[in-house]
Each structure stands twice: as structure tokens, then as C-alpha cells.
Amino acid sequence: MPQTSRRAALGVAAGAALLAQAKPSQAAYGDAANVFGKATNVSGFVPYAGEGYALLLPSKWNPSTEREFPGIDLRYEDNFDAVNNLLVTVTKTDKSSIEDFGAPENFLRSVTYLLGQQSYAGQTKSEGGFAENRVSAASLLGVSTATDKKGKTYYKYEILARSADGDEGGRHQLISATVSNGA
């Protein structure tokens, strides 16, 4: 019969004592463990406050350092498709409210640079729904005005910009504009 060491016997006795007192585990598993953290914002948007404005950003969008033109204060882009983006521009003006620009259509004429300009200057036939010698078009789909709870008026535009680059669906441009403290 093999000899059992005193150390081995004590180890077996201690293990048996622990097993005799075993209780169900208090550890949580799965969602209850909150290993990956609970979603605290189920809306999919994150509040952002800039100087003189506040908005809700899509939560999975990333900040971008790209600046297409002067006056961009904030630019975020979709982390899946970088052509989807959100811009906030701040431009000085001598107007005290958006209504001082006149009708919403008048204000839109002052910011058409937001839609880009045609760079191709060659001869073309009328193809793909474009006018002769044109390879881009912007269609105004909707114009509205809105007033927030503080009484500030906003001009809102829905525009479809298309170009003959093979992206026949075009880009949807949603613009919301107001004047606040001379900007």
C-alpha cells in the first residue's frame, strides 16, 4: 500500500472541506455581467454643444479634420461611408435674423457654394437628364421654415445634387440655417 504524505492528506482534507461548504456562484453571466457595458443612450445620437449651437450627432460617426471651405466649425463623417457627413458652418453676417435675408430662396442663393460647382467646361449633349453642356444639377425638393421654442427662425432645405460621375442617385443635402449673434 502506497504511503500518503502528510502534506497530501492535508490538501485532500482542505479540498473536501471547501467542497462541503460550496454555494452557488454569485458571478453574473451574459448581459447581467455587463462585461461590455450597458447602452445608456439607445437613441443612437450623442449631444454636442458648440459655441452658440447644440445638436445631436450620430453616435457612430467620427470627427473629421477635412475642411472643404472656410467657416466650417464642426465636421463629422460616417465611419462606414465617409461620403455621409455633417457640417456646421459659422459665417459672419451683418443680419440680425435669418428673415433679414428675405425669402428662404434668397438665402439659399447666398450659400450655393455648399453644393459645389461644375468643374468640367467641355461640350456635352443633353444626357442623363442634364442640360446641354452640363454634367451636374441640383434640384430643390423642399423648403420650409421652423421656429424653435426660444422663437428663433430656421430655414430648412432638402436638395438632391447629382453629377455625371456614375452616381446617378445623387446626394441628398439637408440644410438648416439660422442667424445668431451676427453669425
Side-chain angles (χ1 to χ4, degrees):
M1 178 156 145
Q3 288 276 12
T4 304
S5 72
R6 185 173 179 188
R7 183 177 290 183
L10 284 174
V12 169
L18 284 174
L19 288 175
Q21 295 178 356
K23 296 178 184 169
S25 173
Q26 299 300 316
Y29 296 96
D31 287 341
N34 198 19
V35 172
F36 301 109
K38 292 264 186 213
T40 57
N41 179 358
V42 295
S43 72
F45 294 91
V46 177
Y48 179 89
E51 192 173 323
Y53 64 92
L55 54 93
L56 292 173
L57 289 167
S59 61
K60 294 186 178 182
W61 284 27
N62 300 320
S64 171
T65 57
E66 187 175 332
R67 300 293 185 255
E68 292 95 337
F69 38 82
I72 294 180
D73 191 52
L74 174 75
R75 187 179 195 283
Y76 269 70
E77 63 187 19
D78 188 338
N79 66 0
F80 178 71
D81 189 2
V83 298
N84 297 323
N85 54 64
L86 175 140
L87 301 173
V88 174
T89 62
V90 177
T91 307
K92 294 289 183 196
T93 182
D94 59 352
K95 312 290 189 211
S96 61
S97 74
I98 194 80
E99 290 105 337
D100 292 344
F101 282 94
E105 292 78 6
N106 294 343
F107 175 77
L108 185 58
R109 284 187 200 100
S110 73
V111 293
T112 56
Y113 65 90
L114 294 172
L115 304 173
Q117 294 180 347
Q118 177 172 304
S119 58
Y120 178 75
Q123 298 285 324
T124 67
K125 297 290 182 199
S126 178
E127 295 179 19
F130 297 107
E132 192 169 317
N133 300 323
R134 300 291 302 168
V135 292
S136 64
S139 301
L140 185 59
L141 304 178
V143 178
S144 64
T145 59
T147 305
D148 68 8
K149 53 188 162 186
K150 293 181 181 178
K152 185 176 298 233
T153 301
Y154 291 80
Y155 287 171
K156 297 185 174 203
Y157 307 91
E158 182 179 1
I159 299 167
L160 179 63
R162 298 185 323 120
S163 62
D165 63 357
D167 185 15
E168 291 301 319
R171 294 282 173 222
H172 221 140
Q173 310 285 332
L174 302 174
I175 299 171
S176 183
T178 193
V179 172
S180 181
N181 300 325

